[in-house]
Amino acid sequence: IVPYLLLMKEDAEQRHHDLRELFNGLRYVIRYGIAWRAMPNDLPPWSAVYQQSRRWMEAGCFEAVVHDLRTVLRLAAGKQAKPTTAIIDSRTLRSTPESGLRAGYDGAKRKKGSKLHMAVDTLGHLLALHVTPANRDDRAEVGPLAQAIQQATDGSVELAWADQGYTGSKAANAAKEHDITLEIVRLP
C-alpha cells in the first residue's frame, strides 16, 4: 500500500513523522471511531495524522487502492479487468441522535435514518456508494449512482441489475443518460 500513499519522497525535509505511523494513526481512528483529539500518545500527534489523512483523501489514494485491488481480484477470478455489469441496491440504516438533519423516515422499511445506495460488480466488489436521508426515493438516486459507477469503471459498465424498487421510466432514463441499461429483476 506504500506506493499509493507516497505523495512526496519518504526522506523529504518536511516529513517529521514516519509514514507508517501516520497510516496507523488513521487506521486507529477508523477502527475505534474516536475523535481525532482522542488518539493515544504512542501515535503521532492527532493534527499530523489528520493533515496527512486529508492529503491522502484529496489525492484519491484510497480510491486508487480500491480500483487496483478490484482489478487484480477480477483477473484472479478469470473475469475481465473492468466490469461490464453492475448490481444496484439500497439499504436503510437506523439513525442515532448525532444524525441530525441527515436522518429521514423511510416509510417502506419503517425506519428513521440514512439510506446507502450502492453498486457492486458481479463478484460483489464495491463500485460506488452514495448516502442520502432515508426518505429519498431509490429511483431518484439512479442518476448520481450511474455517474459514479461510470467514473469508477472508466465507462465500462453497460448493464445494471436492480430490484423492483427501481421500476419506472425515470430510473431507466437516468441510467440511460450514463450509457447504462437498467434491468429490473422481478421476484418469481
Side-chain angles (χ1 to χ4, degrees):
I1 195 167
V2 171
Y4 293 96
L5 302 179
L6 288 178
L7 300 178
M8 63 176 91
K9 294 187 292 184
E10 277 205 81
D11 59 346
E13 288 182 29
Q14 63 264 49
R15 189 178 302 283
H16 299 292
H17 304 284
D18 183 45
L19 194 63
R20 176 65 183 204
E21 289 302 310
L22 293 168
F23 186 63
N24 285 343
L26 174 62
R27 290 177 49 218
Y28 191 89
V29 168
I30 292 170
R31 169 67 177 92
Y32 295 105
I34 62 168
W36 288 102
R37 292 177 191 259
M39 285 180 54
N41 292 331
D42 60 340
L43 291 169
W46 73 268
S47 56
V49 175
Y50 176 78
Q51 288 174 356
Q52 186 62 48
S53 299
R54 293 298 309 163
R55 287 186 198 111
W56 284 330
M57 286 185 256
E58 289 170 9
C61 295
F62 302 114
E63 288 86 354
V65 170
V66 169
H67 180 288
D68 290 349
L69 182 60
R70 181 177 56 238
T71 301
V72 168
L73 292 172
R74 287 185 62 80
L75 290 172
K79 301 273 190 178
Q80 295 176 4
K82 293 183 181 181
T84 57
T85 305
I87 302 166
I88 296 175
D89 204 358
S90 68
R91 176 180 181 183
T92 302
L93 302 174
R94 290 193 190 279
S95 65
T96 63
E98 292 83 18
S99 297
L101 297 174
R102 190 180 64 220
Y105 184 74
D106 183 357
K109 306 249 174 54
R110 296 185 181 159
K111 288 183 186 177
K112 182 177 181 183
S114 300
K115 193 178 273 191
L116 298 176
H117 304 272
M118 59 195 118
V120 296
D121 66 4
T122 54
L123 296 175
H125 302 132
L126 185 67
L127 297 174
L129 180 70
H130 188 61
V131 181
T132 63
N135 59 347
R136 293 294 302 265
D137 184 33
D138 291 347
R139 293 174 198 92
E141 297 306 316
V142 170
L145 197 57
Q147 181 178 7
I149 291 168
Q150 295 296 44
Q151 265 183 335
T153 62
D154 298 324
S156 68
V157 173
E158 301 167 358
L159 174 68
W161 289 315
D163 63 17
Q164 293 175 335
Y166 295 90
T167 57
S169 61
K170 180 179 179 182
N173 291 338
K176 198 56 146 173
E177 286 179 17
H178 300 284
D179 301 323
I180 296 176
T181 302
L182 187 65
E183 186 174 313
I184 306 302
V185 178
R186 301 189 187 281
L187 293 173

